[in-house]
Amino acid sequence: MEKSNIYIGEIISDVMSEKKITKAELARRLNIRPQSVDYLLGRKSIDTDTLYNVSVALDYDFAQLYSIKKEQTNLDTTGNNEKKINKAKIVVELELEKEDLLRLNLKKKISSLLD
């Protein structure tokens, strides 16, 4: 099996530079020592818990880098970020007086919509 060519430490460092976040600030956000940030930035890979915590700390989704299908999206969306809905159930509750019902002629209108 082919190994990834992703060096996560370098990418984290790039994101930190882009967002102007220092090693000390990242260490504070992760509640770790600054030396641990140096170790993290030198790594080719890190565990998923650490990846998640760094993603939250930097507001950047590093997990997307490891997607094997770049065009893959969430199951409930299409490629255009539009929701893909096969069925929808809409429940509306109205309280109307009898004369309002007669005036609106809702029974007939709803019946025609359902046909």
Side-chain angles (χ1 to χ4, degrees):
M1 180 177 286
E2 185 179 326
K3 291 187 178 187
S4 78
N5 60 354
I6 298 170
Y7 286 81
I8 194 65
E10 290 177 12
I11 297 170
I12 292 170
S13 182
D14 291 344
V15 171
M16 287 172 61
S17 295
E18 182 181 306
K19 293 181 176 263
K20 296 177 176 47
I21 295 174
T22 64
K23 291 177 186 178
E25 175 60 19
L26 182 59
R28 186 191 66 73
R29 291 181 184 187
L30 294 173
N31 197 27
I32 60 175
R33 298 176 318 190
Q35 295 86 346
S36 297
V37 172
D38 285 329
Y39 174 75
L40 177 73
L41 298 180
R43 304 279 304 159
K44 178 186 182 332
S45 62
I46 58 176
D47 67 82
T48 54
D49 284 339
T50 303
L51 185 67
Y52 173 80
N53 290 332
V54 172
S55 293
V56 171
L58 295 177
D59 191 29
Y60 185 92
D61 188 2
F62 291 99
Q64 284 185 334
L65 299 170
Y66 294 95
S67 175
I68 58 172
K69 295 182 180 178
K70 297 300 181 192
E71 70 280 353
Q72 182 172 319
T73 59
N74 291 336
L75 294 176
D76 60 348
T77 61
T78 64
N80 301 339
N81 288 334
E82 296 174 12
K83 297 292 180 190
K84 179 175 63 176
I85 300 173
N86 294 327
K87 287 185 179 180
K89 180 177 183 179
I90 300 172
V91 178
V92 178
E93 184 176 325
L94 299 172
E95 188 173 318
L96 300 170
E97 299 293 330
K98 186 175 182 176
E99 57 271 3
D100 293 331
L101 285 172
L102 293 172
R103 190 170 0 143
L104 293 172
N105 199 14
L106 288 179
K107 185 175 180 179
K108 190 174 186 178
K109 289 179 181 178
I110 290 172
S111 178
S112 68
L113 285 173
L114 295 175
D115 287 339

